[in-house]
């Protein structure tokens, strides 16, 4: 039995059923789970004094392309729209291999961890030069991050009227075979699981209707989740109407792509009927506010979604379309965007933090994560509110207005992976050096 005691937190935002906020309280962790929360707790185990700190559930990232940390701020893509941006980056990504996938995933996940993230999904949809999904699973496992990798795919290349070059797409039979392989090898459905695999054709415009349907059937057969990009911008809606004769929501519904085991990235352009469809079917949304700003896609109707009970989580999205990977900045941006669209009372700091924690966990089908309650997983972020960002703040919980954007400590499944602002599990300076060497080689 292993115990850890977090002692004397200034404030704990539990994100439990009644959203309790506890002052001067402790958290007792036992074997990766939260055992008790309250005052005056005792333990024989390791003790951390967290006085002067705010404690929240670890943040949850519901959409990312970790491999893209190797192509941040590429000059030809800096100011392009989505489709032009993709066409600039595809030739660079086609030179990646296993080492690029592993190193870029370590960088992306470590960056997320430093911003308080304890559970991340990833959407890997290209597999050049022998790259495999397990390259990223190994990176998450070394770091100690809870990980939901998805086996993405593209099958319609340029010669078939698609966007990606032909050598970056795969045959659909081979895609389905590899989906079966990675689910059988790496998916752990148990409570407290550190790795769950999902199936994720890249987008409706990069695979066939058949593959969308077959992936949905396979996911239901295996009991895993489904993920893709949907209704990201106006070009996306126009493409759907021209190619499929319907809006993205109808396309998704017809192919089995709605339900509590499905979540879609972006959904910037969902209309009222589609928001209603997502609500009725319990389909989740990965809201990626910085990426939407960066690519000029628009403001996702998050207020309208939440008002009718659509599950919404946050996504950093690929570094190449962000180019940052700080999930706290996403939470702040999510709050600001709803205020730009709907007024200053449209989203509170607490609601934005709720979306970032419990909201994301619900989108990923993880009711065992994203809240600090006895029996839930010990994924915990500790924020030091004695620094300059919080100096003069009247509300330590208002991190998104005045507070640190990176954590002091971070625990995943009760294991400390950030201590005093530094990653404990991997040699981060060495990984950064390796990443920069790989990026220079790609530029050559
Ligand atoms: Zn994306």
């Amino acid at each position: 039995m292993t115990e850890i005691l977090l002692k004397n937190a200034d404030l704990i935002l539990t994100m439990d059923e009644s959203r309790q906020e506890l002052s001067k309280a402790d958290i007792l962790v036992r074997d990766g789970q939260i055992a008790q929360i309250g005052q005056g707790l005792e333990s024989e185990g390791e003790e951390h004094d967290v006085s002067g700190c705010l404690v929240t559930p670890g943040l949850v990232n519901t959409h990312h392309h970790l491999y893209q940390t190797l192509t941040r701020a590429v000059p030809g893509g800096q100011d392009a729209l989505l489709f032009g941006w993709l066409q600039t980056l595809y030739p660079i990504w086609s030179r990646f291999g296993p080492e690029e996938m592993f190193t870029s995933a370590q960088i992306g996940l470590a960056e997320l961890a430093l911003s308080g993230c304890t559970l991340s999904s990833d959407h890997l949809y290209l597999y050049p030069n022998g790259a495999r999904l397990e390259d990223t699973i190994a990176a998450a496992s070394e770091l100690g991050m809870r990980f939901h990798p998805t086996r993405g795919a593209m099958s319609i290349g340029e010669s078939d009227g698609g966007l990606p070059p032909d050598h970056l797409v795969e045959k659909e039979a081979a895609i389905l075979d590899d989906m079966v392989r990675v689910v059988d090898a790496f998916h752990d459905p148990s409570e407290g699981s550190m790795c769950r695999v999902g199936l994720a054709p890249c987008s409706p415009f990069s695979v066939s209707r058949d593959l969308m349907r077959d992936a949905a059937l396979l996911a239901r057969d295996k009991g895993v989740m489904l993920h893709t990009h949907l209704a990201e911008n106006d070009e996306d809606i126009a493409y759907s109407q021209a190619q499929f004769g319907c809006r993205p929501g109808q396309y998704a519904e017809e192919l089995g792509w709605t339900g509590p085991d499905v979540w879609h990235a972006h959904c910037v352009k969902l209309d009222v009927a589609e928001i209603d469809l997502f609500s009725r079917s319990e389909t989740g949304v990965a809201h990626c506010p910085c990426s939407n700003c960066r690519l000029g896609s628009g403001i996702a109707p998050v207020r309208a979604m939440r008002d009718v009970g659509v599950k919404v989580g946050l996504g950093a999205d690929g570094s190449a379309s962000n180019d940052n990977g700080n999930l706290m900045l996403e939470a702040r941006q999510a709050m600001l965007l709803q205020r730009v669209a709907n007024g200053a009372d449209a989203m509170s700091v607490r609601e934005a933090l709720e979306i970032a924690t419990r909201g994301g966990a619900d989108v990923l089908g993880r009711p065992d994560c994203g809240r600090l309650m006895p029996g839930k997983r010990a994924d915990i972020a500790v924020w030091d509110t004695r620094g300059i960002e919080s100096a003069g703040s009247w509300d330590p919980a208002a991190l998104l207005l005045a507070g640190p954007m990176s954590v002091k400590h971070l625990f995943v499944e009760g294991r400390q992976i950030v201590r005093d602002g530094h990653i404990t599990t991997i040699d981060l300076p060495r990984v950064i050096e390796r990443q920069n060497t790989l990026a220079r080689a790609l530029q050559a």
Side-chain angles (χ1 to χ4, degrees):
M1 186 179 78
T2 311
E3 282 192 350
I4 299 169
L5 182 62
L6 304 189
K7 196 84 184 149
N8 296 323
D10 267 14
L11 189 67
I12 300 174
L13 291 189
T14 63
M15 298 295 169
D16 67 3
E17 302 318 303
S18 57
R19 310 295 187 269
Q20 271 189 95
E21 301 185 3
L22 306 170
S23 296
K24 302 288 173 218
D26 314 327
I27 300 179
L28 179 63
V29 171
R30 187 177 299 133
D31 296 332
Q33 271 182 304
I34 294 172
Q36 241 183 310
I37 303 182
Q39 288 176 329
L41 303 185
E42 302 283 345
S43 166
E44 299 288 293
E46 190 179 307
E47 192 171 307
H48 296 262
D49 176 17
V50 292
S51 53
C53 296
L54 170 74
V55 178
T56 69
L59 275 53
V60 177
N61 182 31
T62 61
H63 185 67
H64 212 316
H65 312 287
L66 292 166
Y67 77 92
Q68 294 178 2
T69 58
L70 260 169
T71 49
R72 302 200 224 216
V74 170
Q78 281 182 19
D79 305 319
L81 301 179
L82 177 63
F83 286 14
W85 172 85
L86 282 170
Q87 279 161 331
T88 302
L89 288 158
Y90 283 140
I92 306 173
W93 295 337
S94 69
R95 297 169 59 200
F96 279 40
E99 167 68 11
E100 283 78 6
M101 294 302 180
F102 175 82
T103 304
S104 56
Q106 281 210 321
I107 288 290
L109 290 168
E111 190 181 12
L112 285 167
L114 290 169
S115 73
C117 176
T118 50
L119 162 59
S120 183
S121 100
D122 186 44
H123 187 185
L124 183 57
Y125 52 82
L126 39 88
Y127 295 87
N129 308 309
R132 299 193 297 173
L133 190 68
E134 50 264 50
D135 300 326
T136 62
I137 295 173
S141 160
E142 261 193 37
L143 180 67
M145 176 81 88
R146 202 181 296 281
F147 195 42
H148 285 205
T150 61
R151 205 306 180 180
M154 298 193 293
S155 63
I156 303 180
E158 261 169 338
S159 62
D160 294 319
L163 214 53
D166 287 345
H167 59 271
L168 265 188
V169 305
E170 300 172 272
K171 296 263 181 281
E172 299 201 338
I175 290 168
L176 288 164
D177 283 349
D178 198 52
M179 285 177 166
V180 171
R181 182 187 73 82
V182 293
V183 169
D184 289 347
F186 302 108
H187 179 68
D188 172 10
S190 69
E191 185 166 331
S193 167
M194 291 296 286
C195 183
R196 287 196 191 163
V197 177
L199 306 184
C202 183
S203 66
F205 57 80
S206 54
V207 300
S208 74
R209 184 182 278 269
D210 286 345
L211 186 68
M212 290 294 284
R213 187 184 298 109
D214 289 347
L217 291 171
L218 178 60
R220 270 52 201 243
D221 184 48
K222 294 280 183 188
V224 300
M225 292 188 72
L226 286 165
H227 180 51
T228 193
H229 295 96
L230 203 79
E232 180 165 353
N233 63 9
D234 288 329
E235 286 170 290
D236 206 340
I237 302 292
Y239 187 92
S240 180
Q241 272 162 337
Q243 291 299 120
F244 313 131
C246 64
R247 290 188 50 91
Q250 189 186 340
Y251 188 71
E253 188 179 25
E254 281 174 11
L255 296 172
W257 276 77
T258 51
D261 55 351
V262 183
W263 85 106
H264 293 288
H266 300 303
C267 301
V268 173
K269 298 292 176 182
L270 289 193
D271 68 12
V272 174
E274 288 168 320
I275 292 171
D276 181 57
L277 167 68
F278 274 47
S279 169
R280 281 186 282 112
S281 58
E282 297 175 49
T283 307
V285 170
H287 173 44
C288 307
C290 289
S291 167
N292 298 159
C293 290
R294 161 78 163 79
L295 292 172
S297 303
I299 301 175
V302 171
R303 181 69 276 148
M305 291 176 188
R306 297 259 307 165
D307 286 346
V308 295
V310 175
K311 291 183 292 185
V312 181
L314 290 182
D317 202 2
S319 302
S321 64
N322 188 321
D323 296 51
N324 197 296
N326 181 311
L327 203 53
M328 274 303 267
L329 289 177
E330 298 298 328
R332 178 173 162 89
Q333 192 73 9
M335 175 190 76
L336 295 176
L337 274 185
Q338 291 312 302
R339 291 176 178 214
V340 169
N342 305 304
D345 57 354
M347 185 170 290
S348 69
V349 292
R350 282 166 170 78
E351 183 177 8
L353 260 187
E354 178 180 317
I355 293 171
T357 53
R358 147 178 204 129
D362 291 346
V363 165
L364 295 183
R366 296 304 298 256
D368 55 338
C369 299
R371 54 274 269 165
L372 301 177
M373 298 163 66
K376 302 297 181 187
R377 310 320 301 180
D379 292 359
I380 305 171
V382 178
W383 310 87
D384 192 340
T385 51
R386 292 165 301 187
I388 190 164
E389 311 91 339
S390 312
S393 171
W394 290 35
D395 178 7
L399 275 185
L400 302 179
L401 292 175
M405 291 285 123
S406 53
V407 280
K408 178 179 172 64
H409 303 313
L410 191 74
F411 300 85
V412 182
E413 191 70 1
R415 178 187 184 198
Q416 187 164 21
I417 71 167
V418 177
R419 179 180 295 123
D420 290 319
H422 296 283
I423 300 278
T424 61
T425 43
I426 61 172
D427 181 356
L428 189 57
R430 197 196 61 78
V431 181
I432 292 171
E433 202 181 307
R434 182 69 193 140
Q435 169 100 332
N436 285 327
T437 302
L438 292 170
R440 277 195 297 276
L442 288 165
Q443 287 163 42

